[in-house]
Structure formats: C-alpha cells, structure tokens
Amino acid sequence: MKNALSNSTKTQQIADLVQACEQFPNNWIICTLSANAQIVNGHIEEATKTLEQLVTLLPYHYRPMIILAESYIKLNNKDKASFYLNKLLQLFPKQAYINQLMAMYNLQNANFEVALTHINIAISQGLNTSQTKLIAGLANYQLESYEQALSSFSSLRSNFPNNDYITKMIVATQLKLSNPEAVYNELSGIELTESNTRMIAMASLELLKAGAKKESTQLLNKVDIAILIVSVISTY
C-alpha cells in the first residue's frame, strides 16, 4: 500500500513538472527538472522531447544539451547522440564530463581508441568517478592494454567489493596476463552465489587450458558439478 502511494505521488510530481514546463517553456530550470524526473523514472524518450524543445528555444543553455546527448546515448540513438556530442565538443573541447560522454558513446559503438582518447582527457581534467574508471578499464581491455585495464578495474574494488561484474573483469584481465595465482586469489575467497558460480567454473576451465592445473583444481572443488557440466557444454 505504501509503495503504491509512493509511486502515485511520484507520477503526480512528474505530471506537475511536465505541466509547469509546458506553461513556462523558456524556463530552463523547470524544464530541466521535468526532463530529469522523466529520465529517473525511465521515461527517457519523453524527456528527449522536452530537452529538444528547450535546446531549440534556449540554444545557449548548454546543461540541457548535455543531458540530451546522454539521453540519446542511453537510447542508442547514434545519429542524435553524435550530433549533440560533436556540437558540445566544438564548444568545450576539454570539458571533462562531455569527454566522458563521448567516451561512453564510442565504447558503445566499439570505437575503442577514440573512447580511450576521450576518457583520458576527462581524467586529465580531474574527473575520477567509478564510471570514469570503468570506461577506462573497458577501453584498455578491448585494446589489449591489460595492465592499464587491471589498474582501472582494481581501483573499483574498494567501492564495489562484492560486485560480480568487477570481479569478472578483473579475472578476465588476469587470465589475459597469465596470472593464475592472482585469478585463484581473486575467486577462492568469495562466497558462492547463483550468479558467480558459473564465472568460477569458467575461470577454472580457462586456468586448466593455460596449464595451471593446481589452481584450476582448487577452484573446481568449490563448484557444483552440475554447474560445471553446463559451463563445459555451453562452450562448444
């Protein structure tokens, strides 16, 4: 009942903000708040309509344009995202967050060298968020710069100690670096869950392929045999 009331209140608040923006379309603060509320609640396409109108009416208010570019990245609208990102970069070539967005866009579209260039600019301008580190790690990994990738992924561990995705990327990178002991140390102490058991099974198989029989066997001892069979079958 409480959740239903809460959802109803949020829906009404969004509706009120949308209505206020319609009444005052030149008020960039109200309309940006309206768009942000729509985005947070998963209505990204509706938000882009609000932001497009705002950018047209007030072309020199760049905050709405940044949110619009990010929204189109989330929607995987390549043409629109590219248009606004390039426009923003022409105006602010060294702005950290805009460069991070351009890195996200290029990572999404497998342009890994370009992604790395822009995330490095963002980092050089002082941006040091978890997202920044993850983008840098993924771009370096795809470019086979595994030491740099590992440094980025490992720096996320303190903030996300039990995050399966971070663990997966650290393990994958250590495998690329042929560090079986590091892989074993990363995985041996974690608690088995439904989501990470398959990852441990696959890592043990990769270690076996690499000739690290001892570490592979030790990891296999942690894994349910049924999960192992499924993992083996799925690789063929």
Side-chain angles (χ1 to χ4, degrees):
M1 181 66 175
K2 186 177 180 180
N3 287 336
L5 288 172
S6 177
N7 290 335
S8 176
T9 301
K10 287 181 181 179
T11 301
Q12 186 58 52
Q13 289 173 341
I14 294 171
D16 290 343
L17 282 169
V18 170
Q19 186 176 17
C21 179
E22 289 173 352
Q23 292 177 348
F24 305 101
N26 289 328
N27 190 313
W28 75 272
I29 296 177
I30 290 176
C31 290
T32 301
L33 285 172
S34 172
N36 275 328
Q38 290 174 312
I39 291 168
V40 167
N41 285 276
H43 306 301
I44 301 177
E45 289 192 13
E46 290 85 343
T48 60
K49 296 174 185 177
T50 301
L51 292 165
E52 286 276 11
Q53 177 179 295
L54 193 56
V55 167
T56 300
L57 290 172
L58 302 170
Y60 301 108
H61 285 269
Y62 299 112
R63 180 59 187 163
M65 192 182 297
I66 293 172
I67 301 171
L68 183 58
E70 186 169 13
S71 297
Y72 281 130
I73 292 173
K74 291 176 180 176
L75 292 170
N76 199 27
N77 187 325
K78 297 179 183 180
D79 292 340
K80 289 279 191 176
S82 177
F83 173 78
Y84 285 111
L85 286 170
N86 282 309
K87 191 170 184 178
L88 286 163
L89 276 176
Q90 286 174 2
L91 296 166
F92 310 105
K94 296 294 184 181
Q95 206 280 337
Y97 193 68
I98 294 171
N99 273 280
Q100 177 168 294
L101 289 179
M102 183 59 94
M104 287 173 59
Y105 169 80
N106 281 285
L107 189 65
Q108 189 179 77
N109 291 285
N111 300 317
F112 303 119
E113 289 187 7
V114 179
L116 186 60
T117 295
H118 285 286
I119 204 62
N120 282 338
I121 292 173
I123 292 169
S124 73
Q125 296 301 309
L127 201 58
N128 189 35
T129 66
S130 297
Q131 190 173 39
T132 309
K133 295 172 184 176
L134 181 59
I135 293 169
L138 292 171
N140 275 305
Y141 183 87
Q142 293 294 338
L143 292 169
E144 301 183 5
S145 299
Y146 297 122
E147 293 285 359
Q148 293 92 326
L150 182 61
S151 176
S152 295
F153 294 139
S154 297
S155 69
L156 292 166
R157 171 60 77 219
S158 59
N159 291 332
F160 305 98
N162 300 311
N163 186 286
D164 285 346
Y165 185 74
I166 299 302
T167 300
K168 175 184 174 182
M169 292 312 304
I170 290 174
V171 168
T173 308
Q174 293 285 20
L175 285 169
K176 292 291 187 181
L177 290 167
S178 300
N179 291 331
E181 288 187 14
V183 172
Y184 175 75
N185 291 334
E186 183 70 32
L187 295 176
S188 61
I190 68 174
E191 182 179 351
L192 285 178
T193 65
E194 186 177 344
S195 60
N196 67 26
T197 299
R198 177 179 168 80
M199 173 178 64
I200 293 173
M202 294 304 297
S204 68
L205 291 174
E206 290 299 320
L207 287 173
L208 188 61
K209 291 177 186 177
K213 186 176 179 180
K214 176 184 174 182
E215 291 84 356
S216 173
T217 301
Q218 288 172 324
L219 283 181
L220 284 176
N221 289 335
K222 293 170 61 72
V223 178
D224 186 296
I225 188 63
I227 298 292
L228 176 60
I229 291 170
V230 172
S231 298
V232 172
I233 292 173
S234 67
T235 62
Y236 295 96

